[in-house]
Amino acid sequence: MSKIRIYSLAKEVGVDNHRMLEILDGLGVQYKSVSSTIEEDTVELIKQILAEEGTDATGGQVSDPTPDTEVAGETPEPAAAPQPTPAVQTAAPTPEPAPGQMPSEGRAVPPTPTATAPASPATQGAAATQVEERPTAPAEREVPHRAPVVTIMGHVDHGKTSLLDYIRKTKVAAKEAGGITQHVGAFEAQTSKGRIVFIDTPGHEAFTTIRARGANVADIAIIVIAADDSLMPQTREAIAHAQAAKVPMIVAINKIDLAQADPERVKTDLTQLNLVPEEYGGDLVVVPVSARTGEGVEDLLEYISLTAELEDLRADPKGTFSGVIIEGKVDKQAGVLATVMVQEGTLHIGDFLVVGERYGKIKAMTDTGGGRIKEAGPSTPVQVLGFSDVPESGEKVVSAKNEHAARELVDARAGQRRDAENARVRNRLTLEEMMGP
Ligand code: GDP
Ligand code: MG
């Protein structure tokens, strides 16, 4: 009886993880994450479903009279099995409508509009092609994916900085331009699975300060645990922070190059916090790495991408801009520099930004590699020149149409704050009066 992880199966049969989870949902199969394992019976069933989908695409055979998920392996409808339908996703249309068995959604799993598409009899024959197009659900689906933003936390000396350095060195294309890359609080890594944005201020402060201001920047938290030291107080804190923020965690067991490394002990210790690694039947992704040799780092990046895919992170570059300050500082030459993480919409040079009760006009922008850019879309950390005061980590940033609108917003905020302060003072006075002398 062999089990397989969901993402491995997805890879094997050539569908994305989302589709795979949709199928599992449709079957009512319980799982915790894309790295959960599933039973052989279920695997068979899924393959069957996909094979039928292939058939569906060719002739609309969506239906299967007995959608009994329990009798795995048993093929009640032989049509699916013998047909060599290689292309699982979008099989080439063959003009074979299989008339007898069009309708009844059967177990064409996804409870999305897709599954019910063939409902109208009118669409059946001629318009079979429309059915196979699987019109990805409206509106919501059109918002494009964005890169994941990752934060690295863990106990001091467990290797957070080293790990970030290794990733930066190996995954960030060096830019000749200025030579020196300034520290801007974030960087973007290019991986075979796409872009990953790392918050480059390791430690909990960055994370908690930002969260304390009600902003959420990180999509995924990497908890670094040294294999020779296992769980330490700040490790537990980091885990607690990630849990409180409901940010998915990936554990990187670092320093596995050391002779005294004991990754098994780390896993056992994690189990005691009710964090059960996958190998122990849980759903915690644990990746052994060495920031020194680079071993496992590629796997770590892959797991980040997998987790991101699952989270289905999306943002609209055409939407209203919003972002968060990652860090701000004063540069002797340039003046006030702020790193802004674009979360929605797109920033352009010349835009007016409002942070708290201040505003500024973007005079220049640089990407995290130090290159000049004119605009920046979602999940892009960008260094902005144009604020007059230094904004603080975690402050929210919005944009205004023009200077007038920016000033109005700032004034309104200042007014609100004063009102709140006055109210507080009044309340205190009344309380004192009530208490008497
Ligand atoms: P941080 O406090 O979590 O940022 O930890 P650092 O990255 O500063 O690393 C602390 C120490 O551990 C440094 O001396 C690093 O060289 C060392 N270190 C970090 N990662 C590794 C690793 O994978 N293997 C070994 N052998 N040493 C490491
Ligand atoms: Mg450090």
Side-chain angles (χ1 to χ4, degrees):
M1 193 64 180
S2 69
K3 290 182 168 192
I4 183 166
R5 292 196 199 286
I6 295 172
Y7 64 78
S8 307
L9 178 64
K11 210 182 230 176
E12 187 187 316
V13 299
V15 300
D16 68 16
N17 287 305
H18 267 283
R19 178 71 192 106
M20 189 54 77
L21 295 186
E22 269 176 9
I23 296 175
L24 288 167
D25 289 342
L27 291 172
V29 174
Q30 303 283 315
Y31 58 85
K32 284 181 176 168
S33 76
V34 75
S35 45
S36 302
T37 53
I38 44 177
E39 302 290 337
E40 203 170 31
D41 283 357
T42 315
V43 173
E44 285 311 309
L45 198 58
I46 289 167
K47 287 185 176 167
Q48 208 177 308
I49 287 169
L50 288 167
E52 278 166 32
E53 263 180 19
T55 324
D56 169 29
T58 64
Q61 289 182 353
V62 195
S63 64
D64 182 323
T66 44
D68 186 348
T69 58
E70 295 309 315
V71 283
E74 203 177 274
T75 314
E77 160 64 83
Q83 283 178 10
T85 31
V88 173
Q89 292 167 321
T90 45
T94 60
E96 230 222 300
Q101 37 183 326
M102 275 302 292
S104 95
E105 296 155 39
R107 71 162 176 248
V109 172
T112 62
T114 318
T116 49
S120 154
T123 62
Q124 285 182 15
T129 32
Q130 283 187 352
V131 174
E132 38 183 276
E133 265 172 25
R134 320 196 135 268
T136 40
E140 183 193 331
R141 287 281 155 195
E142 276 147 30
V143 175
H145 281 109
R146 62 173 179 84
V149 179
V150 176
T151 186
I152 294 197
M153 299 192 282
H155 196 71
V156 64
D157 283 348
H158 278 198
K160 300 178 290 294
T161 305
S162 307
L163 192 56
L164 282 166
D165 285 348
Y166 185 87
I167 296 170
R168 189 184 1 239
K169 256 186 261 148
T170 53
K171 296 291 165 188
V172 176
K175 287 211 174 78
E176 287 107 85
I180 319 145
T181 312
Q182 288 210 31
H183 184 254
V184 295
F187 68 89
E188 300 168 78
Q190 293 298 339
T191 76
S192 55
K193 296 273 153 56
R195 202 163 62 92
I196 301 176
V197 181
F198 287 89
I199 300 289
D200 193 8
T201 336
H204 317 162
E205 293 99 84
F207 191 68
T208 44
T209 330
I210 288 174
R211 287 237 314 135
R213 292 177 185 274
N216 252 335
V217 173
D219 302 304
I220 297 169
I222 307 295
I223 311 290
V224 176
I225 308 178
D228 61 339
D229 210 17
S230 198
L231 268 71
M232 286 290 139
Q234 286 163 42
T235 319
R236 294 194 179 83
E237 254 176 55
I239 291 170
H241 286 316
Q243 285 174 331
K246 298 198 168 64
V247 173
M249 269 185 284
I250 296 175
V251 169
I253 302 185
N254 190 32
K255 308 197 188 185
I256 53 164
D257 58 291
L258 293 176
Q260 64 274 35
D262 189 356
E264 287 309 310
R265 180 180 153 216
V266 178
K267 288 180 210 164
T268 317
D269 289 353
L270 282 165
T271 309
Q272 279 163 13
L273 291 182
N274 275 327
L275 294 169
V276 185
E278 290 179 331
E279 305 151 67
Y280 296 1
D283 59 356
L284 179 70
V285 176
V286 174
V287 192
V289 300
S290 166
R292 181 154 294 174
T293 67
E295 191 182 344
V297 173
E298 205 63 51
D299 293 339
L300 179 63
L301 297 173
E302 181 148 336
Y303 275 108
I304 293 172
S305 299
L306 269 170
T307 308
E309 197 185 310
L310 259 189
E311 295 290 304
D312 199 26
L313 308 167
R314 292 167 188 271
D316 190 356
K318 298 198 178 86
T320 307
F321 165 79
S322 69
V324 174
I325 299 288
I326 301 296
E327 64 174 45
K329 64 181 172 196
V330 183
D331 181 273
K332 283 203 191 82
Q333 281 152 27
V336 175
L337 292 173
T339 306
V340 176
M341 178 71 73
V342 180
Q343 296 190 303
E344 283 282 340
T346 299
L347 270 191
H348 312 87
I349 289 180
D351 286 354
F352 282 87
L353 296 184
V354 180
V355 177
E357 294 175 23
R358 290 149 294 165
Y359 71 87
K361 181 182 181 177
I362 304 180
K363 293 189 201 125
M365 295 198 291
T366 43
D367 63 18
T368 54
R372 292 268 167 153
I373 50 171
K374 292 198 169 117
E375 52 177 39
S379 289
T380 310
V382 60
Q383 196 173 57
V384 167
L385 179 68
F387 288 103
S388 46
D389 302 297
V390 183
E392 286 174 50
S393 306
E395 286 196 280
K396 289 178 188 162
V397 191
V398 296
S399 68
K401 278 204 303 281
N402 49 40
E403 183 156 17
H404 179 71
R407 189 168 291 148
E408 274 192 342
L409 181 54
V410 163
D411 288 347
R413 286 178 174 180
Q416 270 172 14
R417 178 180 45 81
R418 277 193 299 271
D419 289 350
E421 277 165 10
N422 290 340
R424 230 174 293 135
V425 171
R426 270 199 306 278
N427 287 344
R428 202 165 48 231
L429 286 178
T430 20
L431 200 64
E432 278 164 14
E433 284 161 21
M434 271 163 44
M435 305 294 263

